[in-house]
Amino acid sequence: GAGLAVLSVVAGNTRANLSIGKLGRNLYLLLVGASSVSRKSKAQSIAKGLLDQVLPDAQLPDRMTGEAGIYHLAAKGHQSHIWTPDEFGVTLAQMFAKDSYMRLLEEVLLTLYSGQSYSYQTVRQTVHIRGVNLTVLAEATPAWLALAGPLALLGGLLPRFAVVFPKTPPEI
């Protein structure tokens, strides 16, 4: 999963048409496993280390609100980006909490996944995200993922993730 995420980020700016229909080249992966035995953080760390050497400006902050994500993505323009949140189940739970300030992040992720541009209007300016390739390599424990509740499964965001859930700890 982490290897696919690295390839998605590196191939993000290629001129080859790698899309299917209206879907972009965006790849959302979720590594799910028990703490300390599933090696999900290690796989994520290896991917981040490789990308630091190849595309050091591609990484978004590990934790961010929707508004912060909008500004980061808009400032970097037509580039390939990766977001590697740790314990994504907590972030999902925050997104689906009633009247959550994190709700905007779900909207941004859904829009970018579909390959569309995104505009955000504040009192002072309009911010545009265009031509962005976004890869998400998130990780979560099953317990924290369960806390996100049924809205996470019924909503549009989580079903867009390829979930890697190893039955036995991988050898690294």
Side-chain angles (χ1 to χ4, degrees), residues 71 120-126:
Y71 283 105
Y120 181 68
Q121 178 69 48
T122 66
V123 174
R124 296 190 176 125
Q125 66 179 338
T126 302

Side-chain angles (χ1 to χ4, degrees), residues 61-127:
D62 294 334
R63 296 276 294 166
M64 62 183 179
T65 63
E67 191 167 354
I70 289 168
Y71 283 105
H72 278 286
L73 293 166
K76 295 184 179 189
H78 296 270
Q79 292 181 5
S80 191
H81 305 281
I82 187 165
W83 182 39
T84 55
D86 184 26
E87 207 45 80
F88 191 60
V90 174
T91 304
L92 281 173
Q94 291 171 342
M95 277 187 222
F96 293 108
K98 185 177 180 181
D99 300 325
S100 174
Y101 69 97
M102 293 289 286
R103 201 76 165 140
L104 180 60
L105 185 56
E106 178 195 21
E107 180 181 306
V108 172
L109 291 172
L110 284 169
T111 302
L112 296 180
Y113 181 85
S114 67
Q116 298 174 19
S117 296
Y118 187 86
S119 296
Y120 181 68
Q121 178 69 48
T122 66
V123 174
R124 296 190 176 125
Q125 66 179 338
T126 302
V127 182

Side-chain angles (χ1 to χ4, degrees), residues 4-171:
L4 286 174
V6 170
L7 289 173
S8 175
V9 175
V10 172
N13 292 327
T14 60
R15 298 222 178 248
N17 185 3
L18 300 175
S19 63
I20 301 169
K22 292 184 179 183
L23 291 178
R25 296 176 299 268
N26 306 305
L27 178 63
Y28 291 6
L29 290 160
L30 178 58
L31 309 176
V32 180
S35 292
S36 303
V37 294
S38 63
R39 310 273 199 270
K40 62 190 181 309
S41 295
K42 183 67 173 177
Q44 194 182 52
S45 175
I46 290 169
K48 289 169 75 170
L50 286 170
L51 288 170
D52 269 340
Q53 294 177 25
V54 180
L55 296 169
D57 294 332
Q59 292 189 39
L60 296 173
D62 294 334
R63 296 276 294 166
M64 62 183 179
T65 63
E67 191 167 354
I70 289 168
Y71 283 105
H72 278 286
L73 293 166
K76 295 184 179 189
H78 296 270
Q79 292 181 5
S80 191
H81 305 281
I82 187 165
W83 182 39
T84 55
D86 184 26
E87 207 45 80
F88 191 60
V90 174
T91 304
L92 281 173
Q94 291 171 342
M95 277 187 222
F96 293 108
K98 185 177 180 181
D99 300 325
S100 174
Y101 69 97
M102 293 289 286
R103 201 76 165 140
L104 180 60
L105 185 56
E106 178 195 21
E107 180 181 306
V108 172
L109 291 172
L110 284 169
T111 302
L112 296 180
Y113 181 85
S114 67
Q116 298 174 19
S117 296
Y118 187 86
S119 296
Y120 181 68
Q121 178 69 48
T122 66
V123 174
R124 296 190 176 125
Q125 66 179 338
T126 302
V127 182
H128 300 282
I129 302 172
R130 293 187 181 103
V132 167
N133 176 57
L134 178 63
T135 297
V136 179
L137 179 59
E139 57 97 348
T141 59
W144 278 112
L145 194 56
L147 285 177
L151 286 178
L153 291 174
L154 299 174
L157 182 59
L158 195 55
R160 284 165 173 74
F161 278 80
V163 178
V164 179
F165 199 156
K167 292 182 180 181
T168 58
E171 294 292 326

